[in-house]
mmCIF file of all heavy atoms in Angstrom:
data_model
loop_
_atom_site.group_PDB
_atom_site.id
_atom_site.type_symbol
_atom_site.label_atom_id
_atom_site.label_comp_id
_atom_site.label_asym_id
_atom_site.label_seq_id
_atom_site.Cartn_x
_atom_site.Cartn_y
_atom_site.Cartn_z
ATOM 1 N N VAL A 143 -181.631 79.436 140.088
ATOM 2 C CA VAL A 143 -182.445 80.642 140.255
ATOM 3 C C VAL A 143 -182.735 81.312 138.918
ATOM 4 O O VAL A 143 -183.836 81.769 138.656
ATOM 5 C CB VAL A 143 -181.734 81.640 141.200
ATOM 6 C CG1 VAL A 143 -182.454 82.972 141.210
ATOM 7 C CG2 VAL A 143 -181.675 81.091 142.590
ATOM 8 N N THR A 144 -181.719 81.364 138.045
ATOM 9 C CA THR A 144 -181.885 82.140 136.821
ATOM 10 C C THR A 144 -182.425 81.301 135.675
ATOM 11 O O THR A 144 -182.851 81.844 134.672
ATOM 12 C CB THR A 144 -180.538 82.725 136.376
ATOM 13 O OG1 THR A 144 -179.620 81.633 136.211
ATOM 14 C CG2 THR A 144 -180.007 83.688 137.390
ATOM 15 N N GLY A 145 -182.365 79.979 135.804
ATOM 16 C CA GLY A 145 -182.795 79.143 134.704
ATOM 17 C C GLY A 145 -181.764 79.062 133.594
ATOM 18 O O GLY A 145 -182.013 78.494 132.538
ATOM 19 N N LEU A 146 -180.595 79.675 133.822
ATOM 20 C CA LEU A 146 -179.500 79.525 132.860
ATOM 21 C C LEU A 146 -178.956 78.108 132.975
ATOM 22 O O LEU A 146 -179.022 77.502 134.031
ATOM 23 C CB LEU A 146 -178.360 80.491 133.186
ATOM 24 C CG LEU A 146 -178.461 81.929 132.718
ATOM 25 C CD1 LEU A 146 -177.329 82.735 133.326
ATOM 26 C CD2 LEU A 146 -178.405 82.014 131.210
ATOM 27 N N GLY A 147 -178.392 77.604 131.909
ATOM 28 C CA GLY A 147 -177.796 76.277 131.989
ATOM 29 C C GLY A 147 -176.542 76.301 132.847
ATOM 30 O O GLY A 147 -175.926 77.354 133.028
ATOM 31 N N ILE A 148 -176.193 75.128 133.391
ATOM 32 C CA ILE A 148 -175.015 75.032 134.233
ATOM 33 C C ILE A 148 -173.768 75.490 133.480
ATOM 34 O O ILE A 148 -172.972 76.273 133.989
ATOM 35 C CB ILE A 148 -174.811 73.573 134.733
ATOM 36 C CG1 ILE A 148 -175.900 73.189 135.731
ATOM 37 C CG2 ILE A 148 -173.431 73.379 135.338
ATOM 38 C CD1 ILE A 148 -175.601 73.531 137.170
ATOM 39 N N GLU A 149 -173.650 75.034 132.210
ATOM 40 C CA GLU A 149 -172.398 75.357 131.472
ATOM 41 C C GLU A 149 -172.211 76.862 131.333
ATOM 42 O O GLU A 149 -171.108 77.372 131.471
ATOM 43 C CB GLU A 149 -172.389 74.748 130.065
ATOM 44 C CG GLU A 149 -172.898 73.341 129.936
ATOM 45 C CD GLU A 149 -174.324 73.302 129.438
ATOM 46 O OE1 GLU A 149 -174.515 73.564 128.241
ATOM 47 O OE2 GLU A 149 -175.236 73.024 130.226
ATOM 48 N N LYS A 150 -173.354 77.569 131.073
ATOM 49 C CA LYS A 150 -173.242 79.020 130.883
ATOM 50 C C LYS A 150 -172.833 79.700 132.175
ATOM 51 O O LYS A 150 -172.017 80.627 132.189
ATOM 52 C CB LYS A 150 -174.566 79.584 130.383
ATOM 53 C CG LYS A 150 -174.886 79.136 128.977
ATOM 54 C CD LYS A 150 -176.361 79.345 128.671
ATOM 55 C CE LYS A 150 -176.757 78.549 127.442
ATOM 56 N NZ LYS A 150 -178.199 78.298 127.398
ATOM 57 N N ALA A 151 -173.402 79.221 133.292
ATOM 58 C CA ALA A 151 -173.045 79.797 134.588
ATOM 59 C C ALA A 151 -171.573 79.515 134.904
ATOM 60 O O ALA A 151 -170.866 80.362 135.447
ATOM 61 C CB ALA A 151 -173.947 79.238 135.683
ATOM 62 N N VAL A 152 -171.108 78.317 134.507
ATOM 63 C CA VAL A 152 -169.706 77.966 134.742
ATOM 64 C C VAL A 152 -168.800 78.902 133.962
ATOM 65 O O VAL A 152 -167.832 79.448 134.495
ATOM 66 C CB VAL A 152 -169.428 76.497 134.340
ATOM 67 C CG1 VAL A 152 -167.936 76.212 134.348
ATOM 68 C CG2 VAL A 152 -170.137 75.542 135.276
ATOM 69 N N MET A 153 -169.148 79.126 132.693
ATOM 70 C CA MET A 153 -168.318 79.992 131.845
ATOM 71 C C MET A 153 -168.165 81.373 132.452
ATOM 72 O O MET A 153 -167.082 81.944 132.474
ATOM 73 C CB MET A 153 -168.955 80.114 130.468
ATOM 74 C CG MET A 153 -169.066 78.786 129.762
ATOM 75 S SD MET A 153 -168.310 78.800 128.166
ATOM 76 C CE MET A 153 -169.422 79.848 127.277
ATOM 77 N N GLY A 154 -169.280 81.914 132.964
ATOM 78 C CA GLY A 154 -169.245 83.247 133.535
ATOM 79 C C GLY A 154 -168.357 83.334 134.766
ATOM 80 O O GLY A 154 -167.807 84.386 135.076
ATOM 81 N N SER A 155 -168.226 82.217 135.479
ATOM 82 C CA SER A 155 -167.467 82.249 136.727
ATOM 83 C C SER A 155 -165.983 81.981 136.525
ATOM 84 O O SER A 155 -165.173 82.267 137.404
ATOM 85 C CB SER A 155 -168.030 81.221 137.705
ATOM 86 O OG SER A 155 -169.412 81.393 137.833
ATOM 87 N N LEU A 156 -165.637 81.434 135.350
ATOM 88 C CA LEU A 156 -164.235 81.063 135.116
ATOM 89 C C LEU A 156 -163.285 82.252 135.202
ATOM 90 O O LEU A 156 -162.114 82.088 135.529
ATOM 91 C CB LEU A 156 -164.092 80.397 133.730
ATOM 92 C CG LEU A 156 -164.543 78.941 133.655
ATOM 93 C CD1 LEU A 156 -164.343 78.398 132.252
ATOM 94 C CD2 LEU A 156 -163.757 78.099 134.656
ATOM 95 N N VAL A 157 -163.837 83.465 134.928
ATOM 96 C CA VAL A 157 -163.015 84.675 134.962
ATOM 97 C C VAL A 157 -162.310 84.824 136.310
ATOM 98 O O VAL A 157 -161.196 85.341 136.390
ATOM 99 C CB VAL A 157 -163.906 85.918 134.771
ATOM 100 C CG1 VAL A 157 -163.075 87.094 134.322
ATOM 101 C CG2 VAL A 157 -165.043 85.625 133.807
ATOM 102 N N PHE A 158 -162.971 84.368 137.379
ATOM 103 C CA PHE A 158 -162.443 84.628 138.712
ATOM 104 C C PHE A 158 -161.450 83.570 139.189
ATOM 105 O O PHE A 158 -160.803 83.750 140.207
ATOM 106 C CB PHE A 158 -163.600 84.716 139.720
ATOM 107 C CG PHE A 158 -164.583 85.785 139.378
ATOM 108 C CD1 PHE A 158 -165.806 85.480 138.807
ATOM 109 C CD2 PHE A 158 -164.280 87.122 139.614
ATOM 110 C CE1 PHE A 158 -166.709 86.473 138.477
ATOM 111 C CE2 PHE A 158 -165.171 88.126 139.286
ATOM 112 C CZ PHE A 158 -166.389 87.794 138.714
ATOM 113 N N ILE A 159 -161.359 82.455 138.441
ATOM 114 C CA ILE A 159 -160.540 81.344 138.921
ATOM 115 C C ILE A 159 -159.048 81.709 139.095
ATOM 116 O O ILE A 159 -158.475 81.403 140.145
ATOM 117 C CB ILE A 159 -160.705 80.101 138.006
ATOM 118 C CG1 ILE A 159 -162.149 79.609 138.043
ATOM 119 C CG2 ILE A 159 -159.747 78.989 138.393
ATOM 120 C CD1 ILE A 159 -162.565 78.854 139.275
ATOM 121 N N PRO A 160 -158.397 82.393 138.133
ATOM 122 C CA PRO A 160 -156.968 82.689 138.329
ATOM 123 C C PRO A 160 -156.685 83.451 139.624
ATOM 124 O O PRO A 160 -155.772 83.107 140.375
ATOM 125 C CB PRO A 160 -156.615 83.541 137.102
ATOM 126 C CG PRO A 160 -157.622 83.180 136.081
ATOM 127 C CD PRO A 160 -158.873 82.847 136.814
ATOM 128 N N GLY A 161 -157.523 84.451 139.914
ATOM 129 C CA GLY A 161 -157.353 85.208 141.149
ATOM 130 C C GLY A 161 -157.504 84.312 142.371
ATOM 131 O O GLY A 161 -156.786 84.465 143.365
ATOM 132 N N ASP A 162 -158.424 83.350 142.277
ATOM 133 C CA ASP A 162 -158.667 82.468 143.416
ATOM 134 C C ASP A 162 -157.511 81.490 143.633
ATOM 135 O O ASP A 162 -157.206 81.137 144.772
ATOM 136 C CB ASP A 162 -159.979 81.704 143.219
ATOM 137 C CG ASP A 162 -161.178 82.581 143.546
ATOM 138 O OD1 ASP A 162 -160.991 83.549 144.299
ATOM 139 O OD2 ASP A 162 -162.274 82.305 143.047
ATOM 140 N N ILE A 163 -156.871 81.067 142.537
ATOM 141 C CA ILE A 163 -155.711 80.188 142.680
ATOM 142 C C ILE A 163 -154.614 80.938 143.444
ATOM 143 O O ILE A 163 -153.966 80.403 144.345
ATOM 144 C CB ILE A 163 -155.176 79.757 141.290
ATOM 145 C CG1 ILE A 163 -156.249 78.995 140.511
ATOM 146 C CG2 ILE A 163 -153.896 78.957 141.427
ATOM 147 C CD1 ILE A 163 -156.334 77.531 140.777
ATOM 148 N N LEU A 164 -154.463 82.214 143.097
ATOM 149 C CA LEU A 164 -153.472 83.048 143.776
ATOM 150 C C LEU A 164 -153.802 83.170 145.264
ATOM 151 O O LEU A 164 -152.922 83.067 146.126
ATOM 152 C CB LEU A 164 -153.479 84.426 143.110
ATOM 153 C CG LEU A 164 -152.306 85.330 143.458
ATOM 154 C CD1 LEU A 164 -151.047 84.770 142.836
ATOM 155 C CD2 LEU A 164 -152.570 86.740 142.956
ATOM 156 N N LYS A 165 -155.102 83.344 145.557
ATOM 157 C CA LYS A 165 -155.514 83.442 146.957
ATOM 158 C C LYS A 165 -155.232 82.139 147.696
ATOM 159 O O LYS A 165 -154.816 82.155 148.858
ATOM 160 C CB LYS A 165 -157.009 83.752 147.044
ATOM 161 C CG LYS A 165 -157.337 85.186 146.763
ATOM 162 C CD LYS A 165 -158.819 85.407 146.883
ATOM 163 C CE LYS A 165 -159.220 86.626 146.067
ATOM 164 N NZ LYS A 165 -160.667 86.796 146.012
#
Side-chain angles (χ1 to χ4, degrees):
Chain A
V143 171
T144 57
L146 278 172
I148 291 272
E149 318 100 74
K150 292 163 196 158
V152 170
M153 299 235 290
S155 308
L156 282 180
V157 200
F158 301 103
I159 297 284
D162 281 337
I163 300 274
L164 193 69
K165 283 181 204 173

